Coordinates of all heavy atoms in Angstrom, one line a residue:
P619 N -10.0 -7.7 19.6 CA -11.2 -7.2 19.0 C -12.4 -7.6 19.8 O -12.5 -8.6 20.5 CB -11.3 -7.8 17.6 CG -10.5 -9.1 17.8 CD -9.4 -8.8 18.8
V620 N -13.5 -6.8 19.7 CA -14.8 -7.1 20.4 C -15.4 -8.1 19.5 O -15.5 -7.9 18.2 CB -15.6 -5.9 20.5 CG1 -17.0 -6.3 21.1 CG2 -15.0 -4.9 21.4
P621 N -15.9 -9.3 20.0 CA -16.5 -10.3 19.2 C -17.7 -9.7 18.3 O -18.5 -9.0 18.9 CB -17.0 -11.3 20.2 CG -16.1 -11.1 21.4 CD -15.8 -9.7 21.4
G622 N -17.7 -10.1 17.1 CA -18.8 -9.7 16.2 C -18.7 -8.3 15.5 O -19.5 -8.0 14.7
V623 N -17.7 -7.6 15.9 CA -17.5 -6.2 15.3 C -16.7 -6.3 14.1 O -15.6 -6.9 14.1 CB -16.8 -5.3 16.3 CG1 -16.6 -3.9 15.6 CG2 -17.7 -5.1 17.5
K624 N -17.2 -5.8 13.0 CA -16.4 -5.8 11.7 C -15.7 -4.4 11.6 O -16.3 -3.5 11.0 CB -17.4 -6.0 10.5 CG -18.0 -7.4 10.5 CD -18.9 -7.6 9.3 CE -19.5 -9.0 9.3 NZ -20.3 -9.3 8.1
Y625 N -14.5 -4.3 12.1 CA -13.8 -3.1 12.1 C -13.5 -2.7 10.6 O -13.1 -3.5 9.8 CB -12.5 -3.2 12.9 CG -12.8 -3.4 14.4 CD1 -12.7 -4.7 14.9 CD2 -13.1 -2.4 15.2 CE1 -12.9 -4.9 16.2 CE2 -13.3 -2.6 16.5 CZ -13.2 -3.9 17.1 OH -13.5 -4.1 18.4
R626 N -13.5 -1.4 10.3 CA -13.3 -0.9 9.0 C -11.9 -0.4 8.7 O -11.5 -0.3 7.5 CB -14.3 0.2 8.6 CG -15.8 -0.1 8.9 CD -16.2 -1.4 8.2 NE -17.5 -1.9 8.6 CZ -18.6 -1.5 8.1 NH1 -18.7 -0.6 7.1 NH2 -19.8 -2.0 8.5
V627 N -11.2 -0.2 9.8 CA -9.8 0.4 9.6 C -8.9 -0.1 10.6 O -9.2 -0.3 11.8 CB -9.9 2.0 9.8 CG1 -8.5 2.6 9.8 CG2 -10.7 2.6 8.6
F628 N -7.6 -0.5 10.1 CA -6.5 -0.7 11.0 C -5.7 0.6 11.1 O -5.4 1.2 10.1 CB -5.5 -1.8 10.4 CG -6.0 -3.2 10.4 CD1 -5.9 -4.0 9.3 CD2 -6.5 -3.7 11.6 CE1 -6.4 -5.3 9.3 CE2 -6.9 -5.1 11.6 CZ -6.8 -5.8 10.5
H629 N -5.4 0.9 12.3 CA -4.5 2.1 12.6 C -3.2 1.6 13.2 O -3.2 1.3 14.4 CB -5.2 3.1 13.5 CG -4.5 4.4 13.6 ND1 -4.9 5.5 14.4 CD2 -3.4 4.9 12.9 CE1 -4.0 6.5 14.2 NE2 -3.1 6.1 13.4
Y630 N -2.2 1.4 12.4 CA -1.0 0.7 12.9 C 0.0 1.8 13.4 O 1.2 1.7 13.2 CB -0.3 -0.1 11.8 CG 0.0 0.5 10.5 CD1 1.2 1.2 10.2 CD2 -1.0 0.5 9.5 CE1 1.4 1.8 9.0 CE2 -0.7 1.1 8.2 CZ 0.5 1.7 8.0 OH 0.7 2.4 6.8
G631 N -0.5 2.7 14.2 CA 0.4 3.7 14.8 C 1.2 3.3 16.0 O 2.1 4.0 16.4
L632 N 0.9 2.1 16.5 CA 1.6 1.5 17.7 C 2.3 0.2 17.3 O 1.8 -0.5 16.3 CB 0.7 1.3 18.8 CG -0.1 2.5 19.3 CD1 -1.1 2.1 20.4 CD2 0.8 3.6 19.9
E633 N 3.3 -0.2 18.0 CA 4.0 -1.4 17.7 C 3.0 -2.6 18.0 O 2.3 -2.5 19.0 CB 5.3 -1.6 18.5 CG 6.0 -2.9 18.3 CD 7.3 -3.0 19.1 OE1 7.4 -2.3 20.1 OE2 8.1 -3.9 18.8
F634 N 3.1 -3.6 17.2 CA 2.3 -4.8 17.5 C 3.1 -6.0 17.2 O 4.0 -6.0 16.4 CB 0.9 -4.8 16.8 CG 1.0 -4.7 15.3 CD1 0.9 -5.8 14.5 CD2 1.1 -3.5 14.7 CE1 0.9 -5.8 13.1 CE2 1.1 -3.4 13.3 CZ 1.1 -4.5 12.5
R635 N 2.8 -7.2 17.8 CA 3.6 -8.4 17.5 C 2.8 -9.6 17.6 O 1.7 -9.7 18.2 CB 4.7 -8.4 18.6 CG 4.3 -8.5 20.0 CD 5.5 -8.6 21.0 NE 6.3 -7.4 20.9 CZ 7.6 -7.4 20.4 NH1 8.1 -8.6 20.0 NH2 8.3 -6.3 20.4
V636 N 3.3 -10.6 16.9 CA 2.7 -12.0 16.9 C 3.9 -12.9 17.2 O 4.7 -13.1 16.3 CB 2.0 -12.3 15.6 CG1 1.4 -13.8 15.7 CG2 0.9 -11.3 15.4
G637 N 4.0 -13.5 18.3 CA 5.1 -14.4 18.6 C 6.4 -13.6 18.6 O 6.5 -12.5 19.2
N638 N 7.4 -14.1 17.8 CA 8.7 -13.4 17.7 C 8.7 -12.4 16.6 O 9.6 -11.6 16.4 CB 9.7 -14.5 17.3 CG 10.0 -15.4 18.5 OD1 9.8 -15.1 19.6 ND2 10.3 -16.7 18.2
W639 N 7.6 -12.3 15.8 CA 7.5 -11.3 14.8 C 6.8 -10.0 15.3 O 5.9 -10.1 16.1 CB 6.6 -11.8 13.6 CG 6.3 -10.9 12.5 CD1 7.1 -10.7 11.4 CD2 5.2 -10.0 12.4 NE1 6.5 -9.7 10.6 CE2 5.4 -9.3 11.2 CE3 4.1 -9.7 13.2 CZ2 4.5 -8.3 10.7 CZ3 3.2 -8.7 12.7 CH2 3.4 -8.1 11.5
S640 N 7.3 -8.9 14.9 CA 6.7 -7.6 15.4 C 6.8 -6.6 14.2 O 7.6 -6.7 13.3 CB 7.5 -7.1 16.6 OG 8.8 -6.8 16.3
F641 N 6.0 -5.6 14.4 CA 6.0 -4.5 13.4 C 5.8 -3.1 14.2 O 5.0 -3.0 15.0 CB 4.9 -4.6 12.4 CG 4.9 -3.5 11.4 CD1 5.6 -3.6 10.2 CD2 4.1 -2.4 11.6 CE1 5.6 -2.6 9.3 CE2 4.1 -1.3 10.6 CZ 4.9 -1.4 9.5
D642 N 6.7 -2.2 13.9 CA 6.7 -0.9 14.4 C 7.0 0.1 13.3 O 8.1 0.1 12.7 CB 7.7 -0.7 15.5 CG 7.5 0.7 16.2 OD1 6.8 1.6 15.7 OD2 8.1 0.8 17.3
K643 N 6.0 0.9 12.9 CA 6.2 1.8 11.7 C 7.4 2.7 11.9 O 8.0 3.1 10.9 CB 4.9 2.6 11.4 CG 4.6 3.7 12.5 CD 3.5 4.6 12.0 CE 3.4 5.8 12.9 NZ 2.4 6.8 12.5
A644 N 7.7 3.1 13.1 CA 8.8 4.0 13.4 C 10.1 3.5 13.0 O 11.0 4.2 12.6 CB 8.8 4.4 14.9
N645 N 10.3 2.1 12.9 CA 11.5 1.5 12.5 C 11.8 1.7 11.0 O 12.9 1.3 10.6 CB 11.5 0.0 12.9 CG 11.6 -0.2 14.4 OD1 12.0 0.7 15.2 ND2 11.3 -1.3 14.9
W646 N 10.8 2.1 10.3 CA 10.9 2.1 8.8 C 10.8 3.6 8.3 O 10.5 3.8 7.2 CB 9.8 1.3 8.2 CG 9.9 -0.1 8.7 CD1 9.3 -0.6 9.8 CD2 10.6 -1.2 8.1 NE1 9.6 -2.0 10.0 CE2 10.4 -2.3 9.0 CE3 11.4 -1.3 7.0 CZ2 11.0 -3.6 8.7 CZ3 12.0 -2.5 6.7 CH2 11.7 -3.6 7.6
R647 N 11.2 4.5 9.2 CA 11.0 5.9 8.8 C 12.0 6.3 7.7 O 11.6 7.1 6.8 CB 11.3 6.8 10.0 CG 11.0 8.3 9.7 CD 11.0 9.1 11.0 NE 10.7 10.5 10.7 CZ 9.4 11.0 10.7 NH1 8.4 10.1 10.9 NH2 9.2 12.2 10.4
H648 N 13.2 5.8 7.6 CA 14.2 6.2 6.6 C 14.5 5.1 5.6 O 15.5 5.1 5.0 CB 15.4 6.6 7.3 CG 15.2 7.8 8.2 ND1 15.0 9.1 7.7 CD2 15.2 7.9 9.6 CE1 14.8 9.9 8.8 NE2 15.0 9.2 9.9
V649 N 13.6 4.1 5.5 CA 13.8 3.0 4.6 C 12.9 3.2 3.3 O 11.7 3.4 3.4 CB 13.5 1.7 5.2 CG1 13.7 0.5 4.2 CG2 14.3 1.5 6.5
D650 N 13.5 3.2 2.2 CA 12.8 3.4 0.9 C 12.3 2.0 0.4 O 12.9 1.3 -0.3 CB 13.7 4.0 -0.1 CG 12.9 4.4 -1.4 OD1 11.8 4.1 -1.5 OD2 13.5 5.1 -2.3
L651 N 11.0 1.8 0.7 CA 10.4 0.5 0.3 C 9.7 0.6 -1.0 O 9.2 -0.4 -1.6 CB 9.4 0.1 1.4 CG 10.0 -0.3 2.7 CD1 8.9 -0.1 3.9 CD2 10.3 -1.8 2.7

Side-chain angles (χ1 to χ4, degrees):
V620 176
V623 175
K624 295 182 178 179
Y625 297 99
R626 307 306 170 86
V627 170
F628 286 132
H629 190 183
Y630 54 89
L632 303 174
E633 182 182 16
F634 57 98
R635 60 180 61 248
V636 179
N638 294 326
W639 177 88
S640 66
F641 181 85
D642 186 347
K643 70 169 188 175
N645 290 341
W646 303 88
R647 187 172 183 85
H648 297 290
V649 180
D650 188 352
L651 292 153

